[in-house]
Each structure stands twice: as structure tokens, then as C-alpha cells.
Amino acid sequence: MENNSKKLITFITEQEGKDIEAILTDEIVGTVGFSFMSYITSSKIHIQSGRITASEPITGKYFCLPVNGIKQIYDESNGPYDLALTIEYNNGYSIFIQIFES
């Protein structure tokens, strides 16, 4: 569990200054759940107790990623210019993170 937290912190910290898209979905089988997408340009990354915050300094937009309760992290990258992760949490939520060069 702790290893997944370190992996997520390392990955996101390395993406500072890039555009980050995060899509939150629930994985309730057999029902229609919800999803939410946030797009941050020229991200600033902040590591806080229990979470990572990616913010957009000019507009004040942000999203937070919990670093606790991570069940699994899947590398969805397809080469050095197509970086992506899916983070699956113990509570059934998943977050798909995709990185874009500014």
C-alpha cells in the first residue's frame, strides 16, 4: 500500500508544469455511476498530508488525489509522450490521469 503512495507521488511530482487531465469514475458493476473530469494547464504540484494537489495558478482550478487507500496503480502509458495512469482505490473509485505537454 505504501509503495503505491510513493509511486503516485513520484509520478505526479515529475509532471509539474505539464497539463494534467484527471477523470474520476465509480466502478459499480451493473449500475450507472458517475464520472467527473478536470483539466489543469501548466500544473503546480503540492504534496500535503494524505493528498497531492494539482493546481492551475492563474485560474485557481485544482484537484486533489488521496495518497491513502490505493488498491492498485496501472501504467496506461504508451511511450514517452503519452503518459497515463489509472489509480484504483479501495472504495471502488478509479481515477484516470493523462499528461499533456504544454
Side-chain angles (χ1 to χ4, degrees):
M1 194 80 73
E2 187 176 313
N3 191 32
N4 283 332
S5 297
K6 288 180 184 178
K7 182 178 178 180
L8 179 60
I9 290 169
T10 300
F11 178 82
I12 295 296
T13 301
E14 292 172 351
Q15 309 316 316
E16 187 163 54
K18 299 178 184 175
D19 296 358
I20 302 176
E21 178 181 73
I23 302 172
L24 170 69
T25 59
D26 62 357
E27 298 297 326
I28 302 171
V29 177
T31 63
V32 176
F34 67 90
S35 63
F36 180 84
M37 190 268 294
S38 183
Y39 192 91
I40 303 295
T41 57
S42 301
S43 64
K44 289 297 242 177
I45 306 299
H46 310 277
I47 308 299
Q48 297 146 327
S49 179
R51 71 176 177 221
I52 301 168
T53 302
S55 66
E56 192 175 272
I58 295 173
T59 64
K61 290 181 3 182
Y62 70 93
F63 65 83
C64 297
L65 300 172
V67 296
N68 299 317
I70 298 171
K71 182 176 180 180
Q72 186 69 40
I73 296 177
Y74 303 96
D75 187 353
E76 308 275 357
S77 300
N78 192 18
Y81 301 106
D82 182 15
L83 299 177
L85 289 179
T86 296
I87 307 152
E88 185 178 304
Y89 288 90
N90 293 328
N91 63 7
Y93 295 117
S94 294
I95 300 174
F96 177 73
I97 303 287
Q98 190 165 18
I99 308 301
F100 302 94
E101 297 287 335
S102 299

